[in-house]
Every structure is written in C-alpha cells, then in structure tokens.
Amino acid sequence: MGYSARFSMNINKKLNQIITQNISFKKNGFGMVDAILSISLLAGVITYGIYFSSLRLGTVHSSNLIRSINKEIERDIERLKLDLWSMSYDKNSGEYRLSNQTCSNFSEEIINLPSWVLDSSSENEMIQSWQPGKERSKVFSGGKVLITRELNISAPINNESLNNSIATLNYRVQWGENNKHWLSIDLTPEAHSWCEQII
C-alpha cells in the first residue's frame, strides 16, 4: 500500500470521526441557535413575571389605601356625629335648646364642635385638613395622604326666601398626583326635630 493510499485512508478516518462527533453533539446538547432562543424565552418569562407581580402589588397597595382612607373618614364622621348629638343639649333639663338663629344657619355650631377644629392655625375655619399617620394604617406612613373636609351651607332648595339650614360636608383626598372628591354628607338641625319644619 502506497503512501498516498494510506494518507487518503487517514483523511477519511478523521472526517468520519468529526462527522460522528457532530452528530453526537447535536443529539446530546444544544446548538448555538437553541441556546439563544432559550435565553430569550427565559428573559421574556422573567420580564413578564416581574411586570405582572408589580401590577398585582400596585393593585393590592391601592386597595389597602382606599380601604384605610374610608376607615379614616368614617372615624372622623363618627366623632362629628357624637358631638352633633350633644350639640345644644341641656343636661339640667334633659332637653335640646336651639335658638331660631341656629335653625336658620347652624354653621357656627358646627365649627365650634370639639372635633371640628383639627388645626388651630387654619386660615379658613370652614376648611380643615389632616394627614393620618402610620398609627392609623401602614399605608399612611410618610404622610403622603392629605384629607380635607369643607363645610358649605345652603338652602334646602333653590329659593331665596328659605333659610340656609343645610350643611354639606365635602371630603377631598390628595395623594401623589391624585386630588379626588371622596364623599359628601348633608346635615340639618331638624334631624332631632329641634327646629320648626320649613317646607
């Protein structure tokens, strides 16, 4: 056997070994394209997972914040309600004593309630604001929420001959870029039948 024949057999043998190794690699492992696709898919799954987790956390935080604001306003209304029940009550006689002035416009009585004034340095007594703290709820930590209540007095209907016997409490809430009207409540001194019916 000549040199060229042996050289040709060696080359064929080495080519067969390389082909066999490539086939074995393809059967037992990933190619470059497969690896890139796998990494891309994994990155996509992780990205979407983080995105939807942050959406869920944002929704849970928003829900907790709204529930805590509702509870805080409810507590404030309960305090005012207790003071209103005792307003103009004479303990000696056990009766309610209201003047005609109170029945026609009782804004003065409301702003003089113990639970009305929250900040003695307020420029307008009809508007009171406060920032609930973290002792009320964890979502209030950092003083990021401002609750404001405003008192407006109006007539029962649009008629100038009637007195201004309706007091409306408007609650507004501010946090971040939000500034929303939250709740309105109408109050009247006739709730206890203290005053003569106008209509």
PDB file of all heavy atoms in Angstrom, residues 77-101:
ATOM      1  N   ILE A  77     -66.273  61.035  60.797  1.00  0.00           N
ATOM      2  CA  ILE A  77     -67.729  61.243  60.793  1.00  0.00           C
ATOM      3  C   ILE A  77     -68.332  60.795  62.123  1.00  0.00           C
ATOM      4  O   ILE A  77     -69.227  61.461  62.674  1.00  0.00           O
ATOM      5  CB  ILE A  77     -68.374  60.496  59.608  1.00  0.00           C
ATOM      6  CG1 ILE A  77     -67.961  61.157  58.289  1.00  0.00           C
ATOM      7  CG2 ILE A  77     -69.899  60.478  59.723  1.00  0.00           C
ATOM      8  CD1 ILE A  77     -68.341  60.374  57.057  1.00  0.00           C
ATOM      9  N   GLU A  78     -67.847  59.684  62.672  1.00  0.00           N
ATOM     10  CA  GLU A  78     -68.356  59.198  63.961  1.00  0.00           C
ATOM     11  C   GLU A  78     -68.063  60.203  65.076  1.00  0.00           C
ATOM     12  O   GLU A  78     -68.904  60.424  65.951  1.00  0.00           O
ATOM     13  CB  GLU A  78     -67.739  57.837  64.298  1.00  0.00           C
ATOM     14  CG  GLU A  78     -68.285  56.684  63.486  1.00  0.00           C
ATOM     15  CD  GLU A  78     -69.781  56.500  63.687  1.00  0.00           C
ATOM     16  OE1 GLU A  78     -70.249  56.586  64.840  1.00  0.00           O
ATOM     17  OE2 GLU A  78     -70.492  56.287  62.684  1.00  0.00           O
ATOM     18  N   ARG A  79     -66.858  60.816  65.056  1.00  0.00           N
ATOM     19  CA  ARG A  79     -66.528  61.833  66.063  1.00  0.00           C
ATOM     20  C   ARG A  79     -67.466  63.029  65.950  1.00  0.00           C
ATOM     21  O   ARG A  79     -67.990  63.519  66.951  1.00  0.00           O
ATOM     22  CB  ARG A  79     -65.066  62.286  65.897  1.00  0.00           C
ATOM     23  CG  ARG A  79     -64.039  61.296  66.386  1.00  0.00           C
ATOM     24  CD  ARG A  79     -62.663  61.922  66.461  1.00  0.00           C
ATOM     25  NE  ARG A  79     -62.186  62.365  65.163  1.00  0.00           N
ATOM     26  CZ  ARG A  79     -61.435  61.638  64.351  1.00  0.00           C
ATOM     27  NH1 ARG A  79     -61.088  60.411  64.696  1.00  0.00           N
ATOM     28  NH2 ARG A  79     -61.026  62.112  63.191  1.00  0.00           N
ATOM     29  N   LEU A  80     -67.676  63.480  64.712  1.00  0.00           N
ATOM     30  CA  LEU A  80     -68.582  64.615  64.495  1.00  0.00           C
ATOM     31  C   LEU A  80     -70.007  64.261  64.904  1.00  0.00           C
ATOM     32  O   LEU A  80     -70.720  65.082  65.488  1.00  0.00           O
ATOM     33  CB  LEU A  80     -68.546  65.045  63.020  1.00  0.00           C
ATOM     34  CG  LEU A  80     -67.269  65.741  62.549  1.00  0.00           C
ATOM     35  CD1 LEU A  80     -67.303  65.928  61.034  1.00  0.00           C
ATOM     36  CD2 LEU A  80     -67.124  67.087  63.234  1.00  0.00           C
ATOM     37  N   LYS A  81     -70.412  63.039  64.606  1.00  0.00           N
ATOM     38  CA  LYS A  81     -71.772  62.608  64.930  1.00  0.00           C
ATOM     39  C   LYS A  81     -72.012  62.651  66.445  1.00  0.00           C
ATOM     40  O   LYS A  81     -73.059  63.120  66.908  1.00  0.00           O
ATOM     41  CB  LYS A  81     -72.006  61.190  64.404  1.00  0.00           C
ATOM     42  CG  LYS A  81     -73.467  60.749  64.457  1.00  0.00           C
ATOM     43  CD  LYS A  81     -73.611  59.253  64.205  1.00  0.00           C
ATOM     44  CE  LYS A  81     -73.211  58.881  62.809  1.00  0.00           C
ATOM     45  NZ  LYS A  81     -73.456  57.435  62.547  1.00  0.00           N
ATOM     46  N   LEU A  82     -71.039  62.176  67.205  1.00  0.00           N
ATOM     47  CA  LEU A  82     -71.170  62.211  68.664  1.00  0.00           C
ATOM     48  C   LEU A  82     -71.296  63.638  69.173  1.00  0.00           C
ATOM     49  O   LEU A  82     -72.110  63.932  70.052  1.00  0.00           O
ATOM     50  CB  LEU A  82     -69.966  61.518  69.317  1.00  0.00           C
ATOM     51  CG  LEU A  82     -69.922  60.000  69.215  1.00  0.00           C
ATOM     52  CD1 LEU A  82     -68.597  59.466  69.741  1.00  0.00           C
ATOM     53  CD2 LEU A  82     -71.080  59.380  69.984  1.00  0.00           C
ATOM     54  N   ASP A  83     -70.478  64.537  68.603  1.00  0.00           N
ATOM     55  CA  ASP A  83     -70.548  65.947  69.017  1.00  0.00           C
ATOM     56  C   ASP A  83     -71.871  66.584  68.595  1.00  0.00           C
ATOM     57  O   ASP A  83     -72.432  67.411  69.323  1.00  0.00           O
ATOM     58  CB  ASP A  83     -69.380  66.741  68.425  1.00  0.00           C
ATOM     59  CG  ASP A  83     -68.068  66.410  69.116  1.00  0.00           C
ATOM     60  OD1 ASP A  83     -68.110  65.839  70.214  1.00  0.00           O
ATOM     61  OD2 ASP A  83     -67.009  66.711  68.545  1.00  0.00           O
ATOM     62  N   LEU A  84     -72.368  66.216  67.422  1.00  0.00           N
ATOM     63  CA  LEU A  84     -73.640  66.786  66.949  1.00  0.00           C
ATOM     64  C   LEU A  84     -74.805  66.351  67.837  1.00  0.00           C
ATOM     65  O   LEU A  84     -75.728  67.131  68.088  1.00  0.00           O
ATOM     66  CB  LEU A  84     -73.894  66.361  65.494  1.00  0.00           C
ATOM     67  CG  LEU A  84     -73.081  67.096  64.434  1.00  0.00           C
ATOM     68  CD1 LEU A  84     -73.188  66.392  63.095  1.00  0.00           C
ATOM     69  CD2 LEU A  84     -73.550  68.546  64.308  1.00  0.00           C
ATOM     70  N   TRP A  85     -74.767  65.105  68.310  1.00  0.00           N
ATOM     71  CA  TRP A  85     -75.842  64.631  69.184  1.00  0.00           C
ATOM     72  C   TRP A  85     -75.870  65.401  70.499  1.00  0.00           C
ATOM     73  O   TRP A  85     -76.925  65.601  71.092  1.00  0.00           O
ATOM     74  CB  TRP A  85     -75.705  63.139  69.463  1.00  0.00           C
ATOM     75  CG  TRP A  85     -76.316  62.289  68.408  1.00  0.00           C
ATOM     76  CD1 TRP A  85     -75.676  61.665  67.387  1.00  0.00           C
ATOM     77  CD2 TRP A  85     -77.711  61.981  68.255  1.00  0.00           C
ATOM     78  NE1 TRP A  85     -76.564  60.988  66.601  1.00  0.00           N
ATOM     79  CE2 TRP A  85     -77.824  61.158  67.109  1.00  0.00           C
ATOM     80  CE3 TRP A  85     -78.855  62.317  68.965  1.00  0.00           C
ATOM     81  CZ2 TRP A  85     -79.042  60.665  66.663  1.00  0.00           C
ATOM     82  CZ3 TRP A  85     -80.076  61.822  68.521  1.00  0.00           C
ATOM     83  CH2 TRP A  85     -80.163  61.011  67.376  1.00  0.00           C
ATOM     84  N   SER A  86     -74.712  65.817  70.952  1.00  0.00           N
ATOM     85  CA  SER A  86     -74.662  66.562  72.216  1.00  0.00           C
ATOM     86  C   SER A  86     -74.787  68.067  72.020  1.00  0.00           C
ATOM     87  O   SER A  86     -74.863  68.822  72.993  1.00  0.00           O
ATOM     88  CB  SER A  86     -73.365  66.247  72.958  1.00  0.00           C
ATOM     89  OG  SER A  86     -72.251  66.648  72.185  1.00  0.00           O
ATOM     90  N   MET A  87     -74.817  68.522  70.772  1.00  0.00           N
ATOM     91  CA  MET A  87     -74.908  69.956  70.474  1.00  0.00           C
ATOM     92  C   MET A  87     -76.234  70.517  70.986  1.00  0.00           C
ATOM     93  O   MET A  87     -77.302  69.949  70.747  1.00  0.00           O
ATOM     94  CB  MET A  87     -74.797  70.183  68.963  1.00  0.00           C
ATOM     95  CG  MET A  87     -74.772  71.639  68.553  1.00  0.00           C
ATOM     96  SD  MET A  87     -74.625  71.816  66.760  1.00  0.00           S
ATOM     97  CE  MET A  87     -76.293  71.468  66.238  1.00  0.00           C
ATOM     98  N   SER A  88     -76.172  71.606  71.717  1.00  0.00           N
ATOM     99  CA  SER A  88     -77.343  72.328  72.245  1.00  0.00           C
ATOM    100  C   SER A  88     -78.160  71.487  73.229  1.00  0.00           C
ATOM    101  O   SER A  88     -79.336  71.779  73.466  1.00  0.00           O
ATOM    102  CB  SER A  88     -78.251  72.812  71.103  1.00  0.00           C
ATOM    103  OG  SER A  88     -77.555  73.630  70.219  1.00  0.00           O
ATOM    104  N   TYR A  89     -77.526  70.455  73.777  1.00  0.00           N
ATOM    105  CA  TYR A  89     -78.242  69.634  74.766  1.00  0.00           C
ATOM    106  C   TYR A  89     -78.025  70.201  76.163  1.00  0.00           C
ATOM    107  O   TYR A  89     -76.894  70.428  76.583  1.00  0.00           O
ATOM    108  CB  TYR A  89     -77.738  68.186  74.709  1.00  0.00           C
ATOM    109  CG  TYR A  89     -78.419  67.275  75.694  1.00  0.00           C
ATOM    110  CD1 TYR A  89     -79.728  66.868  75.495  1.00  0.00           C
ATOM    111  CD2 TYR A  89     -77.738  66.828  76.822  1.00  0.00           C
ATOM    112  CE1 TYR A  89     -80.359  66.027  76.399  1.00  0.00           C
ATOM    113  CE2 TYR A  89     -78.359  65.989  77.737  1.00  0.00           C
ATOM    114  CZ  TYR A  89     -79.665  65.592  77.523  1.00  0.00           C
ATOM    115  OH  TYR A  89     -80.287  64.762  78.427  1.00  0.00           O
ATOM    116  N   ASP A  90     -79.132  70.459  76.857  1.00  0.00           N
ATOM    117  CA  ASP A  90     -79.082  70.986  78.216  1.00  0.00           C
ATOM    118  C   ASP A  90     -79.184  69.811  79.185  1.00  0.00           C
ATOM    119  O   ASP A  90     -80.235  69.172  79.302  1.00  0.00           O
ATOM    120  CB  ASP A  90     -80.231  71.975  78.429  1.00  0.00           C
ATOM    121  CG  ASP A  90     -80.149  72.649  79.789  1.00  0.00           C
ATOM    122  OD1 ASP A  90     -79.211  72.355  80.556  1.00  0.00           O
ATOM    123  OD2 ASP A  90     -81.033  73.474  80.084  1.00  0.00           O
ATOM    124  N   LYS A  91     -78.082  69.519  79.878  1.00  0.00           N
ATOM    125  CA  LYS A  91     -78.065  68.363  80.783  1.00  0.00           C
ATOM    126  C   LYS A  91     -79.019  68.543  81.961  1.00  0.00           C
ATOM    127  O   LYS A  91     -79.577  67.569  82.469  1.00  0.00           O
ATOM    128  CB  LYS A  91     -76.643  68.126  81.302  1.00  0.00           C
ATOM    129  CG  LYS A  91     -75.676  67.650  80.245  1.00  0.00           C
ATOM    130  CD  LYS A  91     -74.300  67.409  80.837  1.00  0.00           C
ATOM    131  CE  LYS A  91     -73.334  66.938  79.760  1.00  0.00           C
ATOM    132  NZ  LYS A  91     -71.960  66.738  80.297  1.00  0.00           N
ATOM    133  N   ASN A  92     -79.190  69.775  82.422  1.00  0.00           N
ATOM    134  CA  ASN A  92     -80.051  70.020  83.589  1.00  0.00           C
ATOM    135  C   ASN A  92     -81.509  69.691  83.293  1.00  0.00           C
ATOM    136  O   ASN A  92     -82.184  69.025  84.079  1.00  0.00           O
ATOM    137  CB  ASN A  92     -79.924  71.474  84.056  1.00  0.00           C
ATOM    138  CG  ASN A  92     -78.516  71.777  84.545  1.00  0.00           C
ATOM    139  OD1 ASN A  92     -77.860  70.918  85.122  1.00  0.00           O
ATOM    140  ND2 ASN A  92     -78.053  72.988  84.306  1.00  0.00           N
ATOM    141  N   SER A  93     -81.983  70.180  82.134  1.00  0.00           N
ATOM    142  CA  SER A  93     -83.393  69.936  81.793  1.00  0.00           C
ATOM    143  C   SER A  93     -83.582  68.654  80.991  1.00  0.00           C
ATOM    144  O   SER A  93     -84.696  68.152  80.864  1.00  0.00           O
ATOM    145  CB  SER A  93     -83.948  71.123  80.995  1.00  0.00           C
ATOM    146  OG  SER A  93     -83.269  71.234  79.748  1.00  0.00           O
ATOM    147  N   GLY A  94     -82.480  68.151  80.442  1.00  0.00           N
ATOM    148  CA  GLY A  94     -82.574  66.952  79.613  1.00  0.00           C
ATOM    149  C   GLY A  94     -83.252  67.212  78.276  1.00  0.00           C
ATOM    150  O   GLY A  94     -83.829  66.315  77.674  1.00  0.00           O
ATOM    151  N   GLU A  95     -83.140  68.456  77.793  1.00  0.00           N
ATOM    152  CA  GLU A  95     -83.787  68.834  76.534  1.00  0.00           C
ATOM    153  C   GLU A  95     -82.782  69.520  75.617  1.00  0.00           C
ATOM    154  O   GLU A  95     -81.756  70.027  76.054  1.00  0.00           O
ATOM    155  CB  GLU A  95     -84.959  69.788  76.801  1.00  0.00           C
ATOM    156  CG  GLU A  95     -86.091  69.189  77.597  1.00  0.00           C
ATOM    157  CD  GLU A  95     -87.176  70.211  77.886  1.00  0.00           C
ATOM    158  OE1 GLU A  95     -86.977  71.396  77.541  1.00  0.00           O
ATOM    159  OE2 GLU A  95     -88.207  69.823  78.465  1.00  0.00           O
ATOM    160  N   TYR A  96     -83.135  69.551  74.330  1.00  0.00           N
ATOM    161  CA  TYR A  96     -82.348  70.298  73.355  1.00  0.00           C
ATOM    162  C   TYR A  96     -82.912  71.715  73.276  1.00  0.00           C
ATOM    163  O   TYR A  96     -84.114  71.907  73.133  1.00  0.00           O
ATOM    164  CB  TYR A  96     -82.412  69.632  71.976  1.00  0.00           C
ATOM    165  CG  TYR A  96     -81.640  68.335  71.899  1.00  0.00           C
ATOM    166  CD1 TYR A  96     -82.289  67.110  72.029  1.00  0.00           C
ATOM    167  CD2 TYR A  96     -80.273  68.334  71.707  1.00  0.00           C
ATOM    168  CE1 TYR A  96     -81.586  65.919  71.968  1.00  0.00           C
ATOM    169  CE2 TYR A  96     -79.554  67.144  71.644  1.00  0.00           C
ATOM    170  CZ  TYR A  96     -80.220  65.944  71.782  1.00  0.00           C
ATOM    171  OH  TYR A  96     -79.517  64.772  71.721  1.00  0.00           O
ATOM    172  N   ARG A  97     -82.028  72.718  73.365  1.00  0.00           N
ATOM    173  CA  ARG A  97     -82.461  74.116  73.313  1.00  0.00           C
ATOM    174  C   ARG A  97     -81.722  74.807  72.168  1.00  0.00           C
ATOM    175  O   ARG A  97     -80.521  75.038  72.250  1.00  0.00           O
ATOM    176  CB  ARG A  97     -82.163  74.824  74.625  1.00  0.00           C
ATOM    177  CG  ARG A  97     -82.897  74.212  75.822  1.00  0.00           C
ATOM    178  CD  ARG A  97     -82.591  74.997  77.087  1.00  0.00           C
ATOM    179  NE  ARG A  97     -83.252  74.409  78.235  1.00  0.00           N
ATOM    180  CZ  ARG A  97     -84.510  74.654  78.593  1.00  0.00           C
ATOM    181  NH1 ARG A  97     -85.242  75.483  77.862  1.00  0.00           N
ATOM    182  NH2 ARG A  97     -85.028  74.084  79.654  1.00  0.00           N
ATOM    183  N   LEU A  98     -82.455  75.084  71.118  1.00  0.00           N
ATOM    184  CA  LEU A  98     -81.869  75.758  69.953  1.00  0.00           C
ATOM    185  C   LEU A  98     -82.577  77.079  69.730  1.00  0.00           C
ATOM    186  O   LEU A  98     -83.797  77.178  69.868  1.00  0.00           O
ATOM    187  CB  LEU A  98     -82.016  74.897  68.690  1.00  0.00           C
ATOM    188  CG  LEU A  98     -80.866  73.937  68.397  1.00  0.00           C
ATOM    189  CD1 LEU A  98     -80.931  72.761  69.336  1.00  0.00           C
ATOM    190  CD2 LEU A  98     -80.907  73.487  66.970  1.00  0.00           C
ATOM    191  N   SER A  99     -81.793  78.079  69.362  1.00  0.00           N
ATOM    192  CA  SER A  99     -82.374  79.379  69.022  1.00  0.00           C
ATOM    193  C   SER A  99     -82.816  79.366  67.568  1.00  0.00           C
ATOM    194  O   SER A  99     -82.457  78.476  66.794  1.00  0.00           O
ATOM    195  CB  SER A  99     -81.333  80.484  69.240  1.00  0.00           C
ATOM    196  OG  SER A  99     -80.259  80.315  68.330  1.00  0.00           O
ATOM    197  N   ASN A 100     -83.612  80.366  67.195  1.00  0.00           N
ATOM    198  CA  ASN A 100     -84.045  80.489  65.797  1.00  0.00           C
ATOM    199  C   ASN A 100     -82.854  80.679  64.860  1.00  0.00           C
ATOM    200  O   ASN A 100     -82.864  80.229  63.719  1.00  0.00           O
ATOM    201  CB  ASN A 100     -85.023  81.661  65.640  1.00  0.00           C
ATOM    202  CG  ASN A 100     -86.355  81.355  66.292  1.00  0.00           C
ATOM    203  OD1 ASN A 100     -86.742  80.200  66.406  1.00  0.00           O
ATOM    204  ND2 ASN A 100     -87.044  82.403  66.739  1.00  0.00           N
ATOM    205  N   GLN A 101     -81.826  81.368  65.374  1.00  0.00           N
ATOM    206  CA  GLN A 101     -80.621  81.586  64.568  1.00  0.00           C
ATOM    207  C   GLN A 101     -79.953  80.254  64.225  1.00  0.00           C
ATOM    208  O   GLN A 101     -79.498  80.030  63.111  1.00  0.00           O
ATOM    209  CB  GLN A 101     -79.646  82.499  65.332  1.00  0.00           C
ATOM    210  CG  GLN A 101     -78.318  82.718  64.634  1.00  0.00           C
ATOM    211  CD  GLN A 101     -78.462  83.422  63.304  1.00  0.00           C
ATOM    212  OE1 GLN A 101     -79.388  84.209  63.102  1.00  0.00           O
ATOM    213  NE2 GLN A 101     -77.557  83.140  62.379  1.00  0.00           N
TER     214      GLN A 101
END
